[in-house]
């Protein structure tokens, strides 16, 4: 086990230096305004670290949104391939990959941001966990600053503590639960936003759509269960990262929605109101077209008594 631990430590060492450099850099700047030993200074440093990481991942995030959207929109064609080649799995796999290639999408592209974030998240977790438990620094985070972080408090709560390691401290438990619930809600909202706003109705059926629906409910629960073992400082990173994802996805969907989706219709409606698009068939300059006039019944001319008795006189 020591051999594998050494390999893991060797691989993670560059990340420890990168993460700790950004964290300490923000702490140095924020420490000029706030007490460097305060939990607020360390919490804001973690927020700054999160923003830097997520800003660096913007190009990959855009690719993830497009890949996930394209995967959903290709589902009707994938279903047709399944009907045609369902008896031959090898042929089905070849034709499916050819379809993805022709459409310019990759099923693995939607996983790239998550895969790249996991080592960063793990390095931050190990960095703060070791600082909290052993007052031991890694990278450029010195032992002195690690000890400072371990004892820093935000609203009277040590942000190095975890929910399961609160030792009966209700303040720690409440703050940890608040961030865990925030993680749960933001994860669910982000996933649901993508499915309800940027997916056409035809793409909401099939195996991939069912997988997305399962993940919609399973992922938040998994994160919530795992979150009770993370230091509050790590929960701050995760929550801010989720909020960034939610806002970034909202912006991308609003500005570049997929055709035939509710988001695309909403964008067209906004552009019509601004005069950038002509009015739709059922509207003229923003007003409802008047209904065609109904045919009124022609009333017969009033006849005299003599005309009613003698029809020849009517003419």
């Amino acid at each position: 086990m020591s051999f594998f631990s050494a390999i893991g430590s060797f691989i993670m060492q560059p990340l420890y230096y990168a993460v700790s450099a950004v964290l300490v850099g923000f702490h140095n700047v924020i420490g000029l305004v706030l007490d460097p030993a305060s939990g607020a200074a360390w919490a804001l440093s973690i927020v700054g670290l999160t923003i830097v990481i997520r800003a660096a991942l913007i190009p990959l995030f855009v690719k993830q949104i497009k890949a996930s959207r394209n995967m959903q929109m290709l589902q009707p064609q994938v279903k047709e391939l399944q009907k045609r080649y369902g008896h031959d799995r090898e042929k089905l796999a070849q034709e499916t990959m050819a379809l993805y290639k022709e459409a310019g999408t990759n099923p693995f592209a939607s996983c790239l941001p998550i895969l790249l974030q996991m080592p960063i998240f793990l390095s931050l977790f190990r960095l703060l966990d070791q600082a909290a438990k052993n007052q031991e620094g890694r990278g450029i985070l010195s032992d002195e600053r690690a000890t400072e972080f371990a004892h820093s408090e935000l609203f009277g709560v040590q942000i190095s503590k975890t929910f399961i390691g609160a030792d009966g401290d209700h303040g720690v438990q409440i703050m940890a639960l608040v961030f865990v619930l925030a993680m749960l809600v933001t994860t669910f909202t982000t996933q649901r936003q993508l499915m309800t706003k940027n997916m056409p109705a035809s793409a909401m059926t099939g195996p991939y759509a069912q997988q997305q629906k399962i993940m919609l409910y399973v992922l938040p629960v998994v994160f919530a269960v795992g979150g009770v073992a993370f230091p509050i400082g790590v929960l701050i990173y995760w929550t801010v990262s989720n909020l960034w994802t939610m806002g970034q996805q909202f912006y991308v969907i609003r500005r570049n929605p997929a055709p035939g989706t509710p988001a695309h219709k909403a964008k067209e409606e906004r552009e019509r109101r601004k005069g950038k698009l002509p009015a739709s068939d059922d509207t003229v300059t923003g007003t409802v077209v008047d209904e065609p006039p109904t045919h009124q019944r022609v009333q017969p001319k009033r006849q005299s008594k003599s005309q009613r008795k003698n029809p020849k006189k009517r003419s």
Side-chain angles (χ1 to χ4, degrees):
M1 291 296 292
S2 60
F3 173 74
F4 291 106
S5 298
I7 293 178
S9 178
F10 176 77
I11 295 173
M12 295 296 292
Q13 200 65 27
L15 286 175
Y16 290 141
Y17 275 95
V19 170
S20 63
V22 178
L23 182 66
V24 171
F26 273 105
H27 188 259
N28 288 338
V29 174
I30 295 171
L32 298 175
V33 181
L34 301 177
D35 179 9
S38 66
W42 282 106
L44 290 175
S45 300
I46 294 171
V47 172
L49 170 67
T50 309
I51 293 173
V52 169
I53 293 173
R54 293 313 308 269
L57 293 176
I58 285 178
L60 287 177
F61 176 83
V62 174
K63 288 184 179 181
Q64 177 195 23
I65 290 290
K66 291 181 178 179
S68 181
R69 181 181 69 184
N70 291 341
M71 288 286 292
Q72 284 278 39
M73 296 185 68
L74 287 175
Q75 288 312 295
Q77 299 178 52
V78 172
K79 289 175 65 176
E80 291 297 323
L81 292 177
Q82 290 172 344
K83 292 179 182 178
R84 188 180 306 175
Y85 303 108
H87 60 283
D88 188 344
R89 292 188 177 183
E90 184 177 353
K91 183 66 174 177
L92 175 61
Q94 292 175 353
E95 293 295 328
T96 303
M97 292 307 297
L99 175 64
Y100 290 152
K101 185 177 181 180
E102 182 181 352
T105 188
N106 188 333
F108 302 106
S110 59
C111 304
L112 277 178
I114 296 177
L115 293 177
L116 287 178
Q117 280 190 86
M118 289 310 296
I120 299 172
F121 175 80
L122 181 60
S123 64
L124 177 64
F125 171 77
R126 293 290 297 167
L127 192 75
L128 300 184
D129 189 58
Q130 289 298 310
K133 291 179 178 178
N134 306 322
Q135 286 80 57
E136 177 186 331
R138 292 195 174 189
I140 69 169
L141 182 70
S142 64
D143 292 347
E144 181 182 355
R145 290 203 173 187
T147 303
E148 185 179 83
F149 168 78
H151 295 96
S152 63
E153 293 185 353
L154 179 65
F155 303 117
V157 174
Q158 286 185 293
I159 62 174
S160 59
K161 294 286 187 180
T162 67
F163 178 85
I164 59 177
D167 297 326
D169 189 330
H170 297 305
V172 172
Q173 292 174 336
I174 291 173
M175 183 174 286
L177 279 179
V178 167
F179 281 111
V180 167
L181 289 175
M183 283 167 44
L184 190 151
V185 171
T186 50
T187 301
F188 178 85
T189 304
T190 302
Q191 188 69 13
R192 190 174 185 276
Q193 181 186 62
L194 181 63
M195 294 180 63
T196 59
K197 297 292 185 181
N198 209 37
M199 296 297 172
S202 60
M204 296 308 294
T205 58
Y208 186 79
Q210 293 301 320
Q211 179 184 357
Q212 293 293 99
K213 290 177 182 178
I214 292 174
M215 291 176 63
L216 175 65
Y217 296 99
V218 172
L219 276 182
V221 176
V222 171
F223 292 154
V225 172
V228 298
F230 297 146
I232 292 175
V234 176
L235 295 179
I236 292 173
Y237 168 85
W238 205 333
T239 302
V240 175
S241 181
N242 280 0
L243 288 172
W244 176 287
T245 300
M246 188 167 62
Q248 190 172 246
Q249 181 172 275
F250 175 81
Y251 177 82
V252 172
I253 291 175
R254 183 180 175 86
R255 296 295 299 270
N256 187 27
T261 62
H264 188 265
K265 294 177 182 177
K267 182 183 179 183
E268 287 185 335
E269 185 60 30
R270 289 194 304 271
E271 291 181 346
R272 284 194 190 95
R273 287 198 296 265
K274 294 178 181 178
K276 294 181 179 180
L277 284 179
S280 58
D281 294 338
D282 57 345
T283 59
V284 175
T285 64
T287 59
V288 179
V289 177
D290 295 334
E291 295 182 359
T294 55
H295 295 286
Q296 297 181 351
R297 183 181 176 184
V298 180
Q299 298 293 334
K301 294 181 179 180
R302 193 170 182 178
Q303 298 176 345
S304 64
K305 186 175 180 181
S306 59
Q307 287 177 327
R308 289 196 299 271
K309 289 183 177 181
N310 190 358
K312 294 181 179 181
K313 294 183 178 181
R314 294 179 186 178
S315 57

